[in-house]
Amino acid sequence: MRRRSGHPQDPVYSVTSAPESLRDDQSERMRRYLISMGIRTVCFLLSVLAIVVLHWTVVGWTLVAGAVVLPYVAVVMANATRARAPGTVAPVPPADQRQIRERPEDQR
């Protein structure tokens, strides 16, 4: 590979270090939320079946508790965003002391 003279070399990024696209991240979060809400609906329907039809009160109330707690869990899971790419925030080097001490009027 030939280098161009006088031009700084551009950084080369690895494909494996590229973050997941925002669209893929959002669709994965939506899928997790919908699965959790589907499980909640099944818990609620089974609790009605267990309490009203089968008279299994302990099992029924356990399923009711699951149906009450699952929305919180689903929202927390849906709001869990992707991890930030490592190394995106770098330290800021201190400015040149001469530039700090000089006022803009003095630089003319």
Side-chain angles (χ1 to χ4, degrees):
M1 184 167 121
R2 255 178 35 193
R3 286 189 180 187
R4 289 186 254 164
S5 62
H7 295 289
Q9 185 176 2
D10 292 334
V12 178
Y13 297 102
S14 171
V15 175
T16 58
S17 65
E20 182 181 13
S21 73
L22 182 61
R23 181 179 296 163
D24 291 343
D25 181 49
Q26 288 175 340
S27 65
E28 179 66 25
R29 290 167 47 198
M30 180 66 80
R31 187 179 66 79
R32 285 190 309 228
Y33 180 78
L34 291 175
I35 288 171
S36 297
M37 286 294 102
I39 293 171
R40 177 192 186 227
T41 303
V42 169
C43 279
F44 181 74
L45 294 175
L46 288 176
S47 69
V48 170
L49 176 73
I51 293 173
V52 175
V53 177
L54 301 174
H55 302 291
W56 293 349
T57 55
V58 174
V59 173
W61 287 109
T62 304
L63 290 169
V64 168
V68 169
V69 171
L70 272 173
Y72 173 76
V73 173
V75 168
V76 169
M77 285 175 32
N79 288 332
T81 60
R82 61 185 175 190
R84 292 183 181 212
T88 56
V89 178
V92 178
D96 186 16
Q97 293 297 323
R98 289 177 292 168
Q99 291 176 350
I100 293 174
R101 290 185 191 135
E102 294 176 358
R103 295 188 316 206
E105 299 88 36
D106 296 340
Q107 294 178 357
R108 292 183 200 179

